[in-house]
C-alpha cells in the first residue's frame, strides 16, 4: 500500500479471483468457464473489419445488443442494462441500491465472495444470513428483511437453487427494497425469475455471458428490471465509464443471441456431465450437493478439502478450494467435457489410493 491510498480503502479486503496459472497446461475446473468455444457466428463476428473499427468508441447505449436481448426475453430495450461482465453490474447495484444509512444489504453467509467486498467498498452494513444445515438458502429467512436482498440463484459455491415461487415470495414480501437475483448459473437447470420483472418493480435479475455463453474472456453481463431501475444503473454507468463494453464484445453478444440453441445444447451436455461426475464422486464416498449449476461442491470423509485440491493441482487439475471454516472440507469443481470429468474422477481415485484414504 502506498502512502497515497485513500484512508477509506486501507483495510479493504479485495476479492481473490480463481487462479489463472500459466506455468503449465491444466485441466481447468476452477472458475466455472465453459469448456466449449463461442458459437460460429461469434467467431465470424470478430472480423478484420470489426477489428479495424476499434479506432472508434463503441455504442455507449449498446443498442443492438439491448434490442437482441429485449426480443429474446420478451421485454423492451428500456428494461435491459448491459455492462462489462456481471461483476460490473453487481458493483453498480451496490452503489445504487445499498444505502448504508437507509437500509444496508442482506445475502447468504456462504455465497459469491464479491458481495461482501462490494459491501465493504461502499461502507454498506451487511447482514449475512446462515444457510440451512443442508447448505440450502432458506426463502423464509429473506421475507420482510427491510434491506436490499442479494441472492445468487443457483447459489455459489453450493450450486443449490431456489424455485421461482420461492424467489417470488421473497420479492413480494420486500416491496420497498430491491431484490437482486444473480442468475450467473441459471441456464444449467434452475428456474429463472426474469418473467417476474413484468410484475415487480423491485426485482433486478442479473445475468452473465461468462458461463453458459462461453464468453468469460469477452466480459459481458446484462440485467433485466423495471425502467426506473435500469435508469438508476445507467446513471451510475454514465458517471463512471460510459464505454465500458467494447465493440468486439458487443458484436459477440449480438451474434451469440442468434445461435441461442448452440449454447442451450451445450448446457444440456454440461448437465449430463454433471450427473456423471456426481454419480462417480458419490460412488467414491463423496457427499455432492445437489447442483443446478455448471459446478459441483463436494467433500469426502476420507481426505481434507485442501489436501485434495493440492493433490489434484500436482496432477494438473485445478479446482477451487475455499478456506472459510464451514466449507473448508469441500472443493468446487467446474463441470467440463466428459473427458475432463473422467480425468478428474480417475485422479481422485488415484489420490484416495495413494494417500491411503481408500483403506
Ligand atoms: N455472480 C456469480 C455468482 C459468479 O460466480 C460470478 C463469476 N465469478 C459472477 C457473478 C461474475 O461473473 P462475470 O463478471 O464474469 O459476469
Amino acid at each position: 500500500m502506498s502512502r497515497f491510498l485513500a484512508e477509506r480503502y486501507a483495510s479493504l479486503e479485495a476479492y481473490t479471483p480463481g487462479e489463472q496459472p500459466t506455468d503449465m497446461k491444466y485441466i481447468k475446473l476452477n472458475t466455472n468457464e465453459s469448456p466449449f468455444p463461442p458459437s460460429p457466428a461469434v467467431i465470424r463476428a470478430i472480423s478484420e473489419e470489426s477489428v479495424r473499427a476499434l479506432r472508434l468508441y463503441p455504442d455507449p447505449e449498446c443498442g443492438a445488443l439491448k434490442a437482441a436481448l429485449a426480443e429474446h426475453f420478451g421485454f423492451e430495450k428500456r428494461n435491459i442494462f448491459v455492462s462489462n461482465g456481471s461483476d460490473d453490474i453487481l458493483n453498480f447495484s451496490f452503489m445504487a441500491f445499498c444505502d448504508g444509512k437507509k437500509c444496508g444489504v442482506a445475502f447468504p453467509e456462504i455465497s459469491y465472495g464479491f458481495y461482501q467486498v462490494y459491501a465493504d467498498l461502499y461502507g454498506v452494513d451487511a447482514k449475512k444470513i446462515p444457510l440451512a444445515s443442508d447448505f440450502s438458502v432458506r426463502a423464509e429467512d429473506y421475507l420482510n428483511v427491510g434491506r436490499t436482498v442479494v441472492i445468487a440463484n443457483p447459489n455459489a459455491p453450493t450450486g443449490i437453487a431456489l424455485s421461482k415461487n420461492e424467489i417470488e415470495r421473497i420479492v413480494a414480501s420486500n416491496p420497498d427494497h430491491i431484490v437482486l437475483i444473480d442468475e450467473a448459473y441459471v441456464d444449467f437447470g434452475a428456474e429463472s425469475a426474469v418473467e417476474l420483472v413484468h410484475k415487480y418493480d423491485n426485482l433486478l435479475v442479473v445475468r452473465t455471458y461468462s458461463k453458459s455463453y462461453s464468453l468469460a474472456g469477452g466480459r459481458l453481463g446484462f440485467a433485466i428490471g423495471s425502467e426506473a431501475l435500469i435508469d438508476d444503473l445507467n446513471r451510475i454507468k454514465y458517471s463512471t465509464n460510459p464505454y465500458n463494453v467494447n465493440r468486439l464484445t458487443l458484436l459477440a453478444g449480438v451474434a451469440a443471441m442468434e445461435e441461442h440453441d448452440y449454447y442451450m445444447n451445450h448446457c444440456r451436455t454440461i448437465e449430463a456431465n454433471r450427473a456423471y461426475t456426481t454419480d462417480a464422486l458419490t460412488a467414491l464416498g463423496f457427499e455432492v450437493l445437489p447442483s443446478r449449476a455448471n459446478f459441483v461442491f463436494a467433500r469426502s470423509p476420507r481426505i481434507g478439502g485442501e489436501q485434495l485440491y493440492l493433490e489434484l493441482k500436482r496432477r494438473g487439475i485445478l479446482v477451487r478450494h475455499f478456506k472459510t471454516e464451514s466449507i473448508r472440507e469441500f472443493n468446487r469443481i467446474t463441470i467440463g467435457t466428459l473427458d475432463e470429468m473422467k480425468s478428474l474422477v480417475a485422479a481422485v481415485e488415484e489420490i484416495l489410493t495413494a494417500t491411503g484414504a481408500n483403506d
Side-chain angles (χ1 to χ4, degrees), residues 196-342:
L196 300 176
V197 168
H198 289 297
K199 203 164 152 192
Y200 298 94
D201 68 356
N202 62 322
L203 172 62
L204 186 71
V205 177
V206 178
R207 304 278 284 251
T208 178
Y209 275 73
S210 296
K211 320 292 177 184
S212 48
Y213 291 92
S214 303
L215 266 184
R219 311 305 302 127
L220 188 58
F222 59 97
I224 301 181
S226 69
E227 185 177 358
L229 291 190
I230 301 305
D231 276 354
D232 294 341
L233 289 173
N234 274 319
R235 185 185 290 249
I236 304 283
K237 164 172 156 158
Y238 280 84
S239 304
T240 49
N241 184 2
Y243 300 115
N244 64 350
V245 185
N246 72 74
R247 295 183 79 94
L248 300 182
T249 295
L250 284 174
L251 290 174
V254 172
M257 294 318 289
E258 288 161 13
E259 292 182 329
H260 196 252
D261 288 354
Y262 167 97
Y263 296 100
M264 293 307 112
N265 288 338
H266 281 322
C267 289
R268 304 295 79 81
T269 304
I270 296 286
E271 284 176 42
N273 298 352
R274 181 178 70 206
Y276 161 79
T277 311
T278 302
D279 291 350
L281 291 178
T282 305
L284 290 173
F286 278 76
E287 177 190 359
V288 185
L289 301 188
S291 172
R292 300 270 172 144
N294 66 340
F295 55 81
V296 289
F297 204 45
R299 68 178 163 188
S300 165
R302 303 194 218 160
I303 187 165
E306 186 163 23
Q307 190 187 357
L308 179 60
Y309 154 76
L310 290 170
E311 292 288 344
L312 284 169
K313 188 170 178 184
R314 277 204 317 129
R315 288 162 176 79
I317 300 178
L318 276 186
V319 298
R320 186 88 197 252
H321 177 256
F322 299 91
K323 289 192 168 21
T324 309
E325 187 55 33
S326 59
I327 53 168
R328 65 196 309 272
E329 298 311 333
F330 284 87
N331 277 290
R332 192 193 67 192
I333 304 165
T334 302
I335 303 298
T337 62
L338 191 55
D339 278 351
E340 287 175 324
M341 302 327 288
K342 284 183 174 165

Side-chain angles (χ1 to χ4, degrees), residues 165-179:
N165 283 342
E166 289 172 304
I167 297 288
E168 180 161 11
R169 280 174 66 208
I170 295 170
V171 177
S173 80
N174 290 286
D176 296 325
H177 292 94
I178 299 293
V179 176

Side-chain angles (χ1 to χ4, degrees), residues 15 32 84-88 90 112 115 152 156 182 184-185 208-211 219-221:
Y15 175 71
N32 299 339
N84 186 306
S86 58
D87 281 340
D88 214 25
L90 295 170
Y112 184 35
Y115 304 153
D182 177 352
Y185 302 105
T208 178
Y209 275 73
S210 296
K211 320 292 177 184
R219 311 305 302 127
L220 188 58

Side-chain angles (χ1 to χ4, degrees), residues 5 17 28 46 55 101 131 133 166 233 235 338:
L5 181 69
K28 212 173 159 298
I46 313 301
R55 70 187 181 80
K101 286 177 225 105
L131 299 180
S133 57
E166 289 172 304
L233 289 173
R235 185 185 290 249
L338 191 55

Side-chain angles (χ1 to χ4, degrees), residues 72-124:
H72 180 79
F73 286 98
F75 282 88
E76 300 297 325
K77 273 164 74 177
R78 58 178 181 271
N79 298 115
I80 315 276
F81 181 75
V82 172
S83 211
N84 186 306
S86 58
D87 281 340
D88 214 25
I89 305 178
L90 295 170
N91 180 29
F92 290 172
S93 300
F94 271 76
M95 267 194 243
F97 305 127
C98 301
D99 188 321
K101 286 177 225 105
K102 264 199 244 154
C103 68
V105 64
F107 49 79
E109 187 168 37
I110 301 295
S111 193
Y112 184 35
F114 235 135
Y115 304 153
Q116 183 64 55
V117 177
Y118 291 131
D120 291 345
L121 184 60
Y122 299 115
V124 174

